[in-house]
Amino acid sequence: PLLAAAEFRGLLLASSGTLQSVHEDPRWSEGINVEHLPIDGLSAAGVRAYLSSEHVVERVLEATRGLPPLIDALVSLPRDEVLSPLQQVDAAGMRLLKLLAVVGRPLGPETLRLLTRLPHGALARTIATLGDLALIGKAVADGELRVGLARAGDQQAIYEMIDAQELRGLHAEVGEHLRRLGDETEIEAAAHHLLLGECGEAAVTAAVEAAQRLEIAFCHERAADLYERALEQSPPPAMRVEIVEKLCNLHEAAGRPDHALVHAERLSALAPTSAEDAVRVARLRILNGEYAAAVEALQRIRDELLEEAPADLWARVLAYTAEAHYLAGDLDAGLTHAQEALARHE
């Protein structure tokens, strides 16, 4: 009322500090009357208006790249220690949440018990506590109870807050658990986790086994991805050669001569090459449109190839030479080499 009066004369100072902080500040102690105006939270309309304001939209976009799961995680699991419900979760609960984030799908109670190493009673209490905090949810799938994270965005948020070393350890544990189960449907998942866990030779073996099964199912891209990731685990030299050769054959079968050529050249650098290996590289260069390079490579093969070499090998070298010349536009040279190839084959 005093401030609204027309006769009021004075300096009005406004502060967002708390009443306690104002009283403890000596600058407010003399000659100043303090009026405390408590500010309540915004209404639904106010929250909506605040969230749609330009500066808030820009900050959310920068933090989440506009991805709905990350936007959801920003709301459900805020980074602020005071606001985050994770502050109320004990060590057992955090391990369970981290395992669910690493696996990326709901799990049965028995699987959770084996991974968390919690007794049945302690696990049940942990699940109940996390459920009360709305961090996990329950569902029934194939007649079995499954426990998973309550929101899709929570998986990404929790995963990103795990320390790198701990994350590798969790992936290794999950991969070894899936490997021990011996379930054929989990072979690819086991390899994925063992690779992320940097489990060395065990990861390489699992990846090769899973990739071979994917090849049979004509899932070439997924198989190639596993082979590539297996190479990152620094396998023994013999296994590295085997994997590179598989990648070369896989990419060629999938109609990707550029990728096949890269691996064929890697293979030449890893192991002693034969004339057959050199012919394969030249053939891949033709398929990749590198006609001049193919002609040069085939000429080197001819210079080194002995006359007593198998006739079919000579015929293929000449036939590929003819093809490279023809595709490069040199029809006369192509015809000459084609006739020579036919003569060799006869």
Side-chain angles (χ1 to χ4, degrees):
L2 177 61
L3 298 181
E7 62 272 15
F8 175 76
R9 296 292 184 270
L11 179 64
L12 177 63
L13 299 177
S15 170
S16 60
T18 64
L19 192 60
Q20 179 181 358
S21 66
V22 169
H23 281 309
E24 291 176 353
D25 191 332
R27 292 174 298 176
W28 297 87
S29 60
E30 295 183 2
I32 295 177
N33 293 322
V34 177
E35 289 287 339
H36 181 225
L37 303 175
I39 300 176
D40 295 329
L42 298 174
S43 63
V47 171
R48 190 176 297 109
Y50 174 74
L51 292 177
S52 62
S53 60
E54 185 176 348
H55 76 285
V56 173
V57 171
E58 288 178 357
R59 289 171 59 190
V60 171
L61 185 61
E62 181 181 357
T64 65
R65 305 187 302 281
L67 299 174
L70 295 185
I71 296 174
D72 185 52
L74 195 66
V75 178
S76 59
L77 292 177
R79 302 281 181 175
D80 190 290
E81 294 186 359
V82 177
L83 298 177
S84 176
L86 295 179
Q87 298 306 308
Q88 304 175 53
V89 179
D90 61 12
M94 280 304 303
R95 178 171 172 79
L96 191 150
L97 291 174
K98 289 175 180 179
L99 282 167
L100 288 173
V102 166
V103 175
R105 66 174 190 263
L107 298 174
E110 183 60 20
T111 302
L112 283 173
R113 186 187 68 80
L114 293 172
L115 289 173
T116 60
R117 297 186 287 276
L118 289 174
H120 287 288
L123 177 61
R125 289 191 295 273
T126 299
I127 291 175
T129 300
L130 295 176
D132 292 340
L133 292 171
L135 290 170
I136 62 171
K138 301 176 184 178
V140 176
D142 299 326
E144 182 185 7
L145 175 66
R146 301 290 173 87
V147 177
L149 294 170
R151 290 165 293 272
D154 294 354
Q155 190 266 339
Q156 184 73 19
I158 294 173
Y159 190 90
E160 289 183 351
M161 65 177 64
I162 304 175
D163 173 77
Q165 183 175 353
E166 183 184 6
L167 189 59
R168 287 193 296 271
L170 289 171
H171 276 297
E173 287 184 49
V174 172
E176 289 165 3
H177 170 76
L178 294 175
R179 188 83 165 153
R180 286 194 300 269
L181 288 179
D183 187 346
E184 291 191 1
T185 63
E186 298 286 6
I187 290 177
E188 186 179 357
H192 169 74
H193 287 291
L194 289 171
L195 288 167
L196 289 175
E198 299 180 5
C199 295
E201 194 167 340
V204 173
T205 302
V208 169
E209 182 181 346
Q212 288 172 339
R213 290 178 178 272
L214 288 169
E215 281 189 76
I216 295 172
F218 297 100
C219 300
H220 293 146
E221 290 187 4
R222 285 159 59 191
D225 177 65
L226 284 175
Y227 283 136
E228 292 282 9
R229 292 168 63 193
L231 288 176
E232 296 173 2
Q233 302 289 315
S234 301
M239 186 172 285
R240 176 176 287 273
V241 170
E242 179 186 347
I243 293 172
V244 173
E245 186 162 7
K246 286 180 179 293
L247 276 166
C248 182
N249 295 334
L250 183 63
H251 284 302
E252 186 176 358
R256 293 191 291 266
D258 51 340
H259 290 75
L261 177 59
V262 169
H263 292 294
E265 291 175 335
R266 290 174 67 180
L267 190 61
S268 299
L270 289 172
T273 57
S274 63
E276 291 284 358
D277 296 326
V279 170
R280 176 170 60 177
V281 172
R283 178 170 53 80
L284 289 171
R285 288 196 182 281
I286 294 173
L287 292 174
N288 205 38
E290 301 176 16
Y291 307 127
V295 169
E296 291 180 10
L298 289 163
Q299 185 59 52
R300 285 196 298 271
I301 296 172
R302 293 182 63 183
D303 293 342
E304 297 173 3
L305 204 58
L306 300 176
E307 281 297 324
E308 57 268 23
D312 67 317
L313 178 58
W314 266 108
R316 280 186 286 125
V317 170
L318 292 167
Y320 290 140
T321 303
E323 183 180 3
H325 279 297
Y326 178 80
L327 292 173
D330 190 347
L331 304 185
D332 293 336
L335 180 60
T336 300
H337 287 93
Q339 291 172 336
E340 187 179 352
L342 289 171
R344 284 272 184 179
H345 190 65
E346 292 173 356

